[in-house]
Amino acid sequence: MFSIKRGEKMNPAQRRYLRRFFPAMGTYVVVLFTCTWLYRDLKPTGALLVLLSVLPALPIVAAILVMGAYLIEERDEFIRSRLVASMVGGLGIMLAITTVWGFLENGGAVAHFPTYLTFPLWCACFGLWQCVTGLRDRATGDAA
C-alpha cells in the first residue's frame, strides 16, 4: 500500500495501518476456510446459510475501512496524494476490466465473473498502478 525506502522508518499512520490490516486479513483467511468447511459438511440452509455467506465479507469490509482510515491519518501530503492517485488508477483499470467482461458475459463469450473477486481484482490493479507510477518516476527522476 505504501513504500518504505531502505533505512527509512514507517511513520505512525503506516504502523497503525499495518496493525489493523494484517489482523483483518488473517481473520478473513480463518473465516473463509471455516465457512467453506461448514458449507461442505453442514449443507446449511436458511439463516445459517445467509450468515455463513456474509461472514467472509466482513473482514474484507474491515480491510477497506482500514485503508480509508490510513488515508485520513496519513499526514504526509505526497504519500497521501500518491496513494489516492494509485487507488483511483486501480479503480479505473478494474472498472474497465469488469465493464468489458460484463459485455462479454452478456454476449455469452465468457463465464460469469464472481463479484466477490472484485476487491482482490482492485487490489491487483491498485498494486499494478503503484508499480507503473514508481517505474515512471524512477525513469524521469521524479522519485521522492
Side-chain angles (χ1 to χ4, degrees):
M1 177 129 166
F2 50 84
S3 64
I4 302 294
K5 293 179 183 170
R6 182 170 288 173
E8 193 175 304
K9 293 186 179 188
M10 288 188 290
N11 68 40
Q14 292 166 338
R15 285 192 299 274
R16 283 191 302 272
Y17 166 76
L18 292 176
R19 279 196 312 263
R20 294 169 182 161
F21 186 79
F22 285 123
M25 288 295 93
T27 301
Y28 170 68
V29 169
V30 170
V31 169
L32 181 64
F33 280 106
T34 301
C35 289
T36 301
W37 171 68
L38 291 171
Y39 287 141
R40 188 184 62 238
D41 289 356
L42 296 179
K43 311 267 191 271
T45 60
L48 182 58
L49 176 60
V50 171
L51 178 66
L52 292 176
S53 298
V54 169
L55 279 177
L58 298 180
I60 296 295
V61 171
I64 293 167
L65 292 172
V66 165
M67 292 171 126
Y70 173 59
L71 275 177
I72 292 167
E73 294 171 356
E74 179 57 68
R75 295 293 168 230
D76 186 310
E77 292 294 328
F78 178 76
I79 293 172
R80 186 174 26 214
S81 172
R82 295 289 297 262
L83 188 59
V84 169
S86 294
M87 288 176 158
V88 172
L91 181 62
I93 295 169
M94 184 202 67
L95 289 172
I97 290 169
T98 56
T99 298
V100 170
W101 192 277
F103 281 106
L104 289 168
E105 185 179 316
N106 193 48
V110 296
H112 173 68
F113 176 77
T115 55
Y116 63 84
L117 294 177
T118 304
F119 181 69
L121 174 62
W122 174 78
C123 288
C125 295
F126 166 51
L128 177 65
W129 194 271
Q130 285 183 305
C131 290
V132 169
T133 301
L135 290 172
R136 182 204 64 205
D137 288 350
R138 282 181 189 85
T140 61
D142 289 341

Short mmCIF file of all heavy atoms in Angstrom, two decimals, residues 81-140:
data_model
loop_
_atom_site.label_atom_id
_atom_site.label_comp_id
_atom_site.label_asym_id
_atom_site.label_seq_id
_atom_site.Cartn_x
_atom_site.Cartn_y
_atom_site.Cartn_z
N SER A 81 -1.17 11.77 -1.57
CA SER A 81 -1.51 12.07 -2.97
C SER A 81 -1.17 10.89 -3.88
O SER A 81 -1.97 10.52 -4.75
CB SER A 81 -0.74 13.31 -3.42
OG SER A 81 -0.90 13.52 -4.79
N ARG A 82 -0.01 10.28 -3.68
CA ARG A 82 0.38 9.12 -4.49
C ARG A 82 -0.56 7.95 -4.24
O ARG A 82 -0.93 7.23 -5.17
CB ARG A 82 1.82 8.69 -4.15
CG ARG A 82 2.88 9.70 -4.51
CD ARG A 82 3.05 9.77 -6.02
NE ARG A 82 3.50 8.53 -6.56
CZ ARG A 82 4.74 8.23 -6.86
NH1 ARG A 82 5.69 9.13 -6.69
NH2 ARG A 82 5.04 7.05 -7.35
N LEU A 83 -0.93 7.75 -3.00
CA LEU A 83 -1.83 6.66 -2.64
C LEU A 83 -3.20 6.85 -3.29
O LEU A 83 -3.75 5.92 -3.89
CB LEU A 83 -1.95 6.58 -1.12
CG LEU A 83 -2.68 5.39 -0.56
CD1 LEU A 83 -2.01 4.09 -0.97
CD2 LEU A 83 -2.74 5.49 0.96
N VAL A 84 -3.74 8.04 -3.20
CA VAL A 84 -5.05 8.32 -3.81
C VAL A 84 -4.98 8.16 -5.32
O VAL A 84 -5.87 7.56 -5.93
CB VAL A 84 -5.55 9.74 -3.41
CG1 VAL A 84 -6.75 10.14 -4.25
CG2 VAL A 84 -5.89 9.78 -1.93
N ALA A 85 -3.92 8.65 -5.94
CA ALA A 85 -3.77 8.51 -7.39
C ALA A 85 -3.71 7.03 -7.78
O ALA A 85 -4.32 6.62 -8.77
CB ALA A 85 -2.52 9.24 -7.87
N SER A 86 -3.00 6.23 -7.00
CA SER A 86 -2.90 4.80 -7.29
C SER A 86 -4.23 4.10 -7.07
O SER A 86 -4.61 3.21 -7.84
CB SER A 86 -1.83 4.15 -6.42
OG SER A 86 -0.56 4.64 -6.76
N MET A 87 -4.95 4.49 -6.04
CA MET A 87 -6.27 3.90 -5.79
C MET A 87 -7.23 4.22 -6.94
O MET A 87 -7.95 3.34 -7.42
CB MET A 87 -6.85 4.39 -4.46
CG MET A 87 -6.16 3.84 -3.25
SD MET A 87 -6.85 4.57 -1.75
CE MET A 87 -6.39 3.34 -0.55
N VAL A 88 -7.22 5.46 -7.37
CA VAL A 88 -8.11 5.86 -8.47
C VAL A 88 -7.68 5.20 -9.78
O VAL A 88 -8.51 4.73 -10.55
CB VAL A 88 -8.17 7.40 -8.59
CG1 VAL A 88 -8.92 7.83 -9.85
CG2 VAL A 88 -8.82 8.01 -7.36
N GLY A 89 -6.38 5.15 -10.03
CA GLY A 89 -5.89 4.47 -11.23
C GLY A 89 -6.28 3.00 -11.22
O GLY A 89 -6.73 2.45 -12.24
N GLY A 90 -6.10 2.34 -10.08
CA GLY A 90 -6.50 0.94 -9.95
C GLY A 90 -7.99 0.76 -10.13
O GLY A 90 -8.45 -0.21 -10.76
N LEU A 91 -8.77 1.70 -9.61
CA LEU A 91 -10.22 1.65 -9.79
C LEU A 91 -10.59 1.77 -11.27
O LEU A 91 -11.46 1.04 -11.77
CB LEU A 91 -10.88 2.77 -8.99
CG LEU A 91 -12.39 2.87 -9.04
CD1 LEU A 91 -13.03 1.61 -8.48
CD2 LEU A 91 -12.87 4.09 -8.28
N GLY A 92 -9.90 2.66 -11.97
CA GLY A 92 -10.16 2.81 -13.41
C GLY A 92 -9.87 1.55 -14.19
O GLY A 92 -10.66 1.13 -15.04
N ILE A 93 -8.74 0.91 -13.88
CA ILE A 93 -8.40 -0.35 -14.56
C ILE A 93 -9.45 -1.41 -14.24
O ILE A 93 -9.94 -2.11 -15.14
CB ILE A 93 -7.01 -0.85 -14.14
CG1 ILE A 93 -5.92 0.13 -14.59
CG2 ILE A 93 -6.74 -2.24 -14.70
CD1 ILE A 93 -4.55 -0.16 -13.98
N MET A 94 -9.82 -1.52 -12.95
CA MET A 94 -10.80 -2.52 -12.54
C MET A 94 -12.15 -2.27 -13.23
O MET A 94 -12.80 -3.21 -13.71
CB MET A 94 -10.99 -2.52 -11.03
CG MET A 94 -11.94 -3.62 -10.56
SD MET A 94 -12.67 -3.28 -8.95
CE MET A 94 -13.69 -1.87 -9.29
N LEU A 95 -12.58 -1.02 -13.29
CA LEU A 95 -13.86 -0.71 -13.94
C LEU A 95 -13.81 -1.05 -15.42
O LEU A 95 -14.79 -1.56 -15.98
CB LEU A 95 -14.22 0.75 -13.73
CG LEU A 95 -14.63 1.13 -12.31
CD1 LEU A 95 -14.77 2.65 -12.18
CD2 LEU A 95 -15.93 0.44 -11.91
N ALA A 96 -12.68 -0.78 -16.07
CA ALA A 96 -12.55 -1.12 -17.49
C ALA A 96 -12.63 -2.63 -17.68
O ALA A 96 -13.36 -3.12 -18.56
CB ALA A 96 -11.24 -0.57 -18.05
N ILE A 97 -11.90 -3.38 -16.86
CA ILE A 97 -11.90 -4.84 -16.97
C ILE A 97 -13.30 -5.40 -16.74
O ILE A 97 -13.80 -6.22 -17.52
CB ILE A 97 -10.90 -5.47 -15.97
CG1 ILE A 97 -9.47 -5.17 -16.40
CG2 ILE A 97 -11.12 -6.98 -15.85
CD1 ILE A 97 -8.42 -5.50 -15.35
N THR A 98 -13.96 -4.96 -15.65
CA THR A 98 -15.27 -5.54 -15.33
C THR A 98 -16.35 -5.10 -16.32
O THR A 98 -17.28 -5.85 -16.58
CB THR A 98 -15.70 -5.21 -13.88
OG1 THR A 98 -15.67 -3.79 -13.68
CG2 THR A 98 -14.78 -5.88 -12.87
N THR A 99 -16.21 -3.91 -16.90
CA THR A 99 -17.17 -3.47 -17.92
C THR A 99 -17.03 -4.31 -19.18
O THR A 99 -18.03 -4.83 -19.71
CB THR A 99 -16.97 -1.98 -18.24
OG1 THR A 99 -17.22 -1.22 -17.06
CG2 THR A 99 -17.91 -1.53 -19.35
N VAL A 100 -15.81 -4.48 -19.65
CA VAL A 100 -15.59 -5.31 -20.84
C VAL A 100 -16.05 -6.74 -20.55
O VAL A 100 -16.74 -7.36 -21.37
CB VAL A 100 -14.11 -5.26 -21.28
CG1 VAL A 100 -13.82 -6.31 -22.34
CG2 VAL A 100 -13.75 -3.87 -21.78
N TRP A 101 -15.67 -7.27 -19.38
CA TRP A 101 -16.08 -8.63 -19.01
C TRP A 101 -17.60 -8.75 -18.99
O TRP A 101 -18.16 -9.74 -19.46
CB TRP A 101 -15.49 -9.02 -17.65
CG TRP A 101 -15.65 -10.48 -17.38
CD1 TRP A 101 -16.75 -11.11 -16.87
CD2 TRP A 101 -14.71 -11.49 -17.63
NE1 TRP A 101 -16.55 -12.46 -16.78
CE2 TRP A 101 -15.28 -12.72 -17.24
CE3 TRP A 101 -13.41 -11.50 -18.14
CZ2 TRP A 101 -14.62 -13.93 -17.34
CZ3 TRP A 101 -12.75 -12.70 -18.23
CH2 TRP A 101 -13.36 -13.90 -17.84
N GLY A 102 -18.27 -7.75 -18.43
CA GLY A 102 -19.72 -7.78 -18.36
C GLY A 102 -20.37 -7.87 -19.73
O GLY A 102 -21.33 -8.62 -19.94
N PHE A 103 -19.85 -7.11 -20.71
CA PHE A 103 -20.39 -7.19 -22.06
C PHE A 103 -20.08 -8.54 -22.70
O PHE A 103 -20.93 -9.11 -23.39
CB PHE A 103 -19.89 -6.03 -22.92
CG PHE A 103 -20.62 -4.75 -22.67
CD1 PHE A 103 -20.01 -3.72 -21.96
CD2 PHE A 103 -21.92 -4.57 -23.11
CE1 PHE A 103 -20.69 -2.53 -21.71
CE2 PHE A 103 -22.61 -3.39 -22.87
CZ PHE A 103 -21.99 -2.36 -22.16
N LEU A 104 -18.88 -9.05 -22.47
CA LEU A 104 -18.55 -10.38 -22.98
C LEU A 104 -19.44 -11.44 -22.34
O LEU A 104 -19.91 -12.36 -23.02
CB LEU A 104 -17.07 -10.71 -22.72
CG LEU A 104 -16.05 -9.93 -23.54
CD1 LEU A 104 -14.65 -10.13 -22.98
CD2 LEU A 104 -16.13 -10.35 -25.00
N GLU A 105 -19.68 -11.30 -21.05
CA GLU A 105 -20.55 -12.24 -20.34
C GLU A 105 -21.98 -12.16 -20.86
O GLU A 105 -22.63 -13.18 -21.08
CB GLU A 105 -20.51 -11.90 -18.84
CG GLU A 105 -21.25 -12.86 -17.96
CD GLU A 105 -21.14 -12.47 -16.50
OE1 GLU A 105 -20.03 -12.12 -16.03
OE2 GLU A 105 -22.19 -12.50 -15.82
N ASN A 106 -22.45 -10.95 -21.06
CA ASN A 106 -23.80 -10.74 -21.57
C ASN A 106 -23.99 -11.39 -22.94
O ASN A 106 -25.05 -11.91 -23.26
CB ASN A 106 -24.11 -9.25 -21.64
CG ASN A 106 -25.58 -8.97 -21.85
OD1 ASN A 106 -26.41 -9.53 -21.15
ND2 ASN A 106 -25.88 -8.12 -22.82
N GLY A 107 -22.94 -11.36 -23.75
CA GLY A 107 -22.99 -11.97 -25.07
C GLY A 107 -22.74 -13.47 -25.05
O GLY A 107 -22.83 -14.12 -26.09
N GLY A 108 -22.41 -14.02 -23.89
CA GLY A 108 -22.17 -15.45 -23.78
C GLY A 108 -20.77 -15.88 -24.17
O GLY A 108 -20.50 -17.07 -24.32
N ALA A 109 -19.86 -14.93 -24.33
CA ALA A 109 -18.49 -15.26 -24.76
C ALA A 109 -17.60 -15.74 -23.62
O ALA A 109 -16.61 -16.41 -23.86
CB ALA A 109 -17.85 -14.04 -25.43
N VAL A 110 -17.94 -15.35 -22.39
CA VAL A 110 -17.14 -15.75 -21.22
C VAL A 110 -18.08 -16.18 -20.09
O VAL A 110 -19.27 -15.87 -20.11
CB VAL A 110 -16.22 -14.61 -20.71
CG1 VAL A 110 -15.17 -14.23 -21.75
CG2 VAL A 110 -17.02 -13.40 -20.28
N ALA A 111 -17.49 -16.86 -19.10
CA ALA A 111 -18.27 -17.29 -17.94
C ALA A 111 -18.56 -16.12 -17.01
O ALA A 111 -17.95 -15.05 -17.13
CB ALA A 111 -17.48 -18.36 -17.17
N HIS A 112 -19.48 -16.33 -16.09
CA HIS A 112 -19.84 -15.31 -15.11
C HIS A 112 -18.65 -14.97 -14.23
O HIS A 112 -17.92 -15.85 -13.79
CB HIS A 112 -21.01 -15.82 -14.24
CG HIS A 112 -21.33 -14.91 -13.10
ND1 HIS A 112 -21.87 -13.67 -13.28
CD2 HIS A 112 -21.17 -15.07 -11.77
CE1 HIS A 112 -22.04 -13.09 -12.10
NE2 HIS A 112 -21.61 -13.93 -11.17
N PHE A 113 -18.44 -13.68 -13.98
CA PHE A 113 -17.38 -13.23 -13.08
C PHE A 113 -17.93 -13.19 -11.66
O PHE A 113 -18.90 -12.48 -11.40
CB PHE A 113 -16.89 -11.83 -13.49
CG PHE A 113 -15.87 -11.24 -12.56
CD1 PHE A 113 -14.56 -11.67 -12.60
CD2 PHE A 113 -16.22 -10.28 -11.63
CE1 PHE A 113 -13.60 -11.14 -11.75
CE2 PHE A 113 -15.27 -9.75 -10.77
CZ PHE A 113 -13.96 -10.18 -10.83
N PRO A 114 -17.32 -13.93 -10.74
CA PRO A 114 -17.80 -13.90 -9.35
C PRO A 114 -17.50 -12.54 -8.72
O PRO A 114 -16.34 -12.16 -8.60
CB PRO A 114 -17.02 -15.02 -8.66
CG PRO A 114 -16.14 -15.64 -9.67
CD PRO A 114 -16.23 -14.86 -10.93
N THR A 115 -18.53 -11.83 -8.33
CA THR A 115 -18.35 -10.47 -7.84
C THR A 115 -17.54 -10.39 -6.55
O THR A 115 -16.97 -9.34 -6.26
CB THR A 115 -19.70 -9.77 -7.65
OG1 THR A 115 -20.52 -10.57 -6.80
CG2 THR A 115 -20.39 -9.54 -8.98
N TYR A 116 -17.46 -11.47 -5.79
CA TYR A 116 -16.64 -11.43 -4.58
C TYR A 116 -15.15 -11.29 -4.90
O TYR A 116 -14.34 -11.00 -4.02
CB TYR A 116 -16.88 -12.65 -3.68
CG TYR A 116 -16.51 -13.98 -4.28
CD1 TYR A 116 -15.21 -14.45 -4.22
CD2 TYR A 116 -17.46 -14.77 -4.92
CE1 TYR A 116 -14.86 -15.67 -4.79
CE2 TYR A 116 -17.13 -15.98 -5.48
CZ TYR A 116 -15.82 -16.43 -5.41
OH TYR A 116 -15.48 -17.63 -5.96
N LEU A 117 -14.79 -11.45 -6.16
CA LEU A 117 -13.40 -11.26 -6.57
C LEU A 117 -13.08 -9.82 -6.96
O LEU A 117 -11.95 -9.49 -7.33
CB LEU A 117 -13.06 -12.19 -7.73
CG LEU A 117 -13.06 -13.68 -7.40
CD1 LEU A 117 -12.79 -14.50 -8.65
CD2 LEU A 117 -12.04 -13.99 -6.31
N THR A 118 -14.07 -8.93 -6.85
CA THR A 118 -13.86 -7.53 -7.24
C THR A 118 -12.81 -6.86 -6.38
O THR A 118 -11.94 -6.15 -6.89
CB THR A 118 -15.19 -6.75 -7.18
OG1 THR A 118 -16.14 -7.42 -8.01
CG2 THR A 118 -15.02 -5.33 -7.65
N PHE A 119 -12.86 -7.05 -5.07
CA PHE A 119 -11.86 -6.41 -4.20
C PHE A 119 -10.45 -6.93 -4.50
O PHE A 119 -9.52 -6.12 -4.66
CB PHE A 119 -12.22 -6.58 -2.72
CG PHE A 119 -11.24 -5.93 -1.79
CD1 PHE A 119 -11.12 -4.55 -1.73
CD2 PHE A 119 -10.41 -6.70 -1.00
CE1 PHE A 119 -10.19 -3.94 -0.88
CE2 PHE A 119 -9.48 -6.11 -0.15
CZ PHE A 119 -9.37 -4.72 -0.09
N PRO A 120 -10.23 -8.25 -4.58
CA PRO A 120 -8.88 -8.70 -4.95
C PRO A 120 -8.44 -8.18 -6.32
O PRO A 120 -7.26 -7.85 -6.51
CB PRO A 120 -8.99 -10.23 -4.96
CG PRO A 120 -10.14 -10.54 -4.09
CD PRO A 120 -11.09 -9.38 -4.22
N LEU A 121 -9.37 -8.08 -7.27
CA LEU A 121 -9.03 -7.53 -8.58
C LEU A 121 -8.60 -6.08 -8.44
O LEU A 121 -7.60 -5.64 -9.03
CB LEU A 121 -10.21 -7.65 -9.55
CG LEU A 121 -10.04 -7.00 -10.92
CD1 LEU A 121 -8.88 -7.64 -11.68
CD2 LEU A 121 -11.33 -7.10 -11.72
N TRP A 122 -9.35 -5.30 -7.65
CA TRP A 122 -8.98 -3.90 -7.43
C TRP A 122 -7.61 -3.80 -6.77
O TRP A 122 -6.78 -2.98 -7.17
CB TRP A 122 -10.03 -3.17 -6.59
CG TRP A 122 -9.57 -1.78 -6.26
CD1 TRP A 122 -9.60 -0.69 -7.07
CD2 TRP A 122 -8.97 -1.35 -5.04
NE1 TRP A 122 -9.06 0.39 -6.42
CE2 TRP A 122 -8.67 0.01 -5.17
CE3 TRP A 122 -8.66 -1.98 -3.83
CZ2 TRP A 122 -8.08 0.76 -4.16
CZ3 TRP A 122 -8.07 -1.24 -2.82
CH2 TRP A 122 -7.78 0.12 -2.99
N CYS A 123 -7.35 -4.65 -5.78
CA CYS A 123 -6.04 -4.64 -5.11
C CYS A 123 -4.92 -4.90 -6.11
O CYS A 123 -3.87 -4.24 -6.07
CB CYS A 123 -6.00 -5.66 -3.98
SG CYS A 123 -6.99 -5.20 -2.55
N ALA A 124 -5.13 -5.85 -7.01
CA ALA A 124 -4.12 -6.15 -8.03
C ALA A 124 -3.93 -4.95 -8.96
O ALA A 124 -2.78 -4.59 -9.29
CB ALA A 124 -4.52 -7.39 -8.82
N CYS A 125 -5.01 -4.33 -9.38
CA CYS A 125 -4.92 -3.16 -10.27
C CYS A 125 -4.27 -1.98 -9.56
O CYS A 125 -3.45 -1.26 -10.15
CB CYS A 125 -6.32 -2.78 -10.77
SG CYS A 125 -7.09 -4.01 -11.81
N PHE A 126 -4.60 -1.78 -8.30
CA PHE A 126 -4.02 -0.74 -7.46
C PHE A 126 -2.51 -0.95 -7.34
O PHE A 126 -1.70 -0.04 -7.52
CB PHE A 126 -4.74 -0.79 -6.11
CG PHE A 126 -4.12 -0.05 -4.97
CD1 PHE A 126 -3.73 1.27 -5.08
CD2 PHE A 126 -3.97 -0.68 -3.75
CE1 PHE A 126 -3.20 1.95 -3.99
CE2 PHE A 126 -3.44 -0.01 -2.66
CZ PHE A 126 -3.04 1.31 -2.79
N GLY A 127 -2.10 -2.18 -7.06
CA GLY A 127 -0.68 -2.51 -6.97
C GLY A 127 0.04 -2.31 -8.30
O GLY A 127 1.17 -1.79 -8.33
N LEU A 128 -0.60 -2.71 -9.38
CA LEU A 128 -0.03 -2.52 -10.71
C LEU A 128 0.19 -1.03 -10.99
O LEU A 128 1.25 -0.63 -11.48
CB LEU A 128 -0.94 -3.14 -11.77
CG LEU A 128 -0.53 -2.97 -13.22
CD1 LEU A 128 0.78 -3.70 -13.50
CD2 LEU A 128 -1.62 -3.47 -14.15
N TRP A 129 -0.81 -0.22 -10.66
CA TRP A 129 -0.70 1.22 -10.88
C TRP A 129 0.45 1.80 -10.06
O TRP A 129 1.21 2.65 -10.55
CB TRP A 129 -2.01 1.92 -10.51
CG TRP A 129 -2.07 3.32 -11.02
CD1 TRP A 129 -1.63 4.44 -10.38
CD2 TRP A 129 -2.57 3.77 -12.27
NE1 TRP A 129 -1.83 5.55 -11.15
CE2 TRP A 129 -2.41 5.16 -12.32
CE3 TRP A 129 -3.14 3.12 -13.36
CZ2 TRP A 129 -2.81 5.92 -13.40
CZ3 TRP A 129 -3.54 3.89 -14.45
CH2 TRP A 129 -3.37 5.26 -14.46
N GLN A 130 0.62 1.33 -8.81
CA GLN A 130 1.72 1.80 -7.97
C GLN A 130 3.06 1.44 -8.61
O GLN A 130 3.99 2.25 -8.61
CB GLN A 130 1.64 1.20 -6.57
CG GLN A 130 0.57 1.82 -5.72
CD GLN A 130 0.58 1.26 -4.31
OE1 GLN A 130 0.49 0.05 -4.12
NE2 GLN A 130 0.69 2.13 -3.33
N CYS A 131 3.17 0.22 -9.13
CA CYS A 131 4.41 -0.21 -9.79
C CYS A 131 4.72 0.65 -11.01
O CYS A 131 5.85 1.11 -11.19
CB CYS A 131 4.32 -1.68 -10.19
SG CYS A 131 4.33 -2.81 -8.80
N VAL A 132 3.73 0.87 -11.84
CA VAL A 132 3.92 1.68 -13.05
C VAL A 132 4.32 3.10 -12.67
O VAL A 132 5.24 3.68 -13.27
CB VAL A 132 2.65 1.66 -13.93
CG1 VAL A 132 2.73 2.69 -15.03
CG2 VAL A 132 2.43 0.27 -14.50
N THR A 133 3.67 3.66 -11.67
CA THR A 133 3.99 5.02 -11.22
C THR A 133 5.42 5.09 -10.69
O THR A 133 6.17 6.02 -11.00
CB THR A 133 3.00 5.48 -10.14
OG1 THR A 133 1.68 5.46 -10.69
CG2 THR A 133 3.31 6.88 -9.65
N GLY A 134 5.80 4.08 -9.89
CA GLY A 134 7.16 4.05 -9.37
C GLY A 134 8.21 3.94 -10.47
O GLY A 134 9.24 4.63 -10.45
N LEU A 135 7.96 3.06 -11.44
CA LEU A 135 8.89 2.91 -12.56
C LEU A 135 8.97 4.20 -13.38
O LEU A 135 10.05 4.62 -13.79
CB LEU A 135 8.46 1.74 -13.44
CG LEU A 135 8.64 0.36 -12.83
CD1 LEU A 135 7.98 -0.70 -13.72
CD2 LEU A 135 10.11 0.04 -12.59
N ARG A 136 7.82 4.82 -13.61
CA ARG A 136 7.80 6.08 -14.36
C ARG A 136 8.60 7.15 -13.63
O ARG A 136 9.40 7.86 -14.24
CB ARG A 136 6.36 6.56 -14.55
CG ARG A 136 6.26 7.84 -15.36
CD ARG A 136 5.00 8.63 -15.09
NE ARG A 136 5.00 9.08 -13.71
CZ ARG A 136 3.90 9.35 -13.02
NH1 ARG A 136 2.72 9.21 -13.56
NH2 ARG A 136 3.97 9.77 -11.78
N ASP A 137 8.41 7.24 -12.32
CA ASP A 137 9.13 8.26 -11.55
C ASP A 137 10.63 8.00 -11.53
O ASP A 137 11.43 8.94 -11.61
CB ASP A 137 8.60 8.32 -10.12
CG ASP A 137 7.21 8.95 -10.05
OD1 ASP A 137 6.74 9.49 -11.07
OD2 ASP A 137 6.59 8.86 -8.98
N ARG A 138 11.03 6.74 -11.45
CA ARG A 138 12.46 6.42 -11.48
C ARG A 138 13.06 6.77 -12.84
O ARG A 138 14.18 7.27 -12.94
CB ARG A 138 12.69 4.95 -11.17
CG ARG A 138 12.59 4.66 -9.69
CD ARG A 138 12.85 3.19 -9.39
NE ARG A 138 12.55 2.88 -8.01
CZ ARG A 138 11.33 2.58 -7.54
NH1 ARG A 138 10.30 2.57 -8.35
NH2 ARG A 138 11.15 2.30 -6.28
N ALA A 139 12.30 6.51 -13.90
CA ALA A 139 12.78 6.78 -15.26
C ALA A 139 12.92 8.27 -15.52
O ALA A 139 13.82 8.70 -16.25
CB ALA A 139 11.85 6.15 -16.29
N THR A 140 12.04 9.07 -14.92
CA THR A 140 12.08 10.52 -15.15
C THR A 140 12.84 11.27 -14.06
O THR A 140 12.98 12.48 -14.15
CB THR A 140 10.65 11.09 -15.26
OG1 THR A 140 9.96 10.85 -14.04
CG2 THR A 140 9.91 10.48 -16.43
#
